Amino acid sequence: QVQVLESGGGSVQDGGSLKLSCTVSGDTYSWYCWAWFRQAVGKEREGVAGLTTYAKTPSIPLYADSVKGRFTVSKDNASKTLYLEMRNLKSEDSGMYYCAMKTGPCTWVQGQYRTWGQGTQVTVSS
C-alpha cells in the first residue's frame, strides 16, 4: 500500500520562502502523478503543482496559474521524496498543503487520486 507523508510547513512573512517535502512509502507505479494540493480556510481544496512520471523518461511538471514562476516542484527518486519549493509567498498561499498520488498523468481532478497525506500547514503573514 502506498502512503505519503508531508513535512516542511511553517509560518513565514509575505515574500518569504518555504520548501515542502513529501516522502512516499511502498511501491509506486510505472506511470504516475505525484502532486500538491492546498486548502485554505473556508475554501475548496485546489491543485498547486504536480509531476507526471512515466518509467525513466523526464518528469513533466504541471502548475496552477496562481503559482507559476514562484513555485517549483521536483523529486528525488533515490529518497522517494517530492518537493515543493515556494518563493515570494503571499497571504493567499496560506493553507493546508497535501501530497497526493495517482496513476497516469497529473490532473486537477481530486477524485482520481487514491493516496493522500495528512497535510502540512503553511501560514503567510503580512
Side-chain angles (χ1 to χ4, degrees):
Q1 182 178 357
V2 178
Q3 293 182 317
V4 294
L5 179 65
E6 307 94 336
S7 62
S11 296
V12 296
Q13 291 192 324
D14 223 21
S17 300
L18 275 176
K19 187 173 184 178
L20 307 183
S21 300
C22 170
T23 302
V24 64
S25 60
D27 292 330
T28 56
Y29 317 104
S30 60
W31 184 28
Y32 63 95
C33 170
W34 204 354
W36 291 97
F37 290 79
R38 68 185 180 190
Q39 186 169 22
V41 174
K43 294 188 176 181
E44 293 187 353
R45 190 162 55 186
E46 62 178 359
V48 177
L51 279 178
T52 297
T53 298
Y54 179 69
K56 295 186 178 181
T57 61
S59 296
I60 301 172
L62 175 67
Y63 294 99
D65 288 343
S66 59
V67 306
K68 282 180 181 176
R70 300 188 299 121
F71 289 14
T72 302
V73 62
S74 62
K75 67 183 177 73
D76 179 71
N77 291 327
S79 63
K80 300 175 76 172
T81 303
L82 180 74
Y83 299 101
L84 184 66
E85 188 167 5
M86 306 183 291
R87 300 178 300 276
N88 191 21
L89 283 161
K90 307 174 183 179
S91 57
E92 52 263 42
D93 294 317
S94 295
M96 187 69 77
Y97 281 68
Y98 298 92
C99 177
M101 293 189 80
K102 65 181 290 289
T103 55
C106 286
T107 70
W108 296 140
V109 181
Q110 297 180 38
Q112 296 178 352
Y113 290 78
R114 300 184 64 180
T115 301
W116 290 86
Q118 295 299 307
T120 185
Q121 180 69 38
V122 171
T123 303
V124 184
S125 56
S126 55

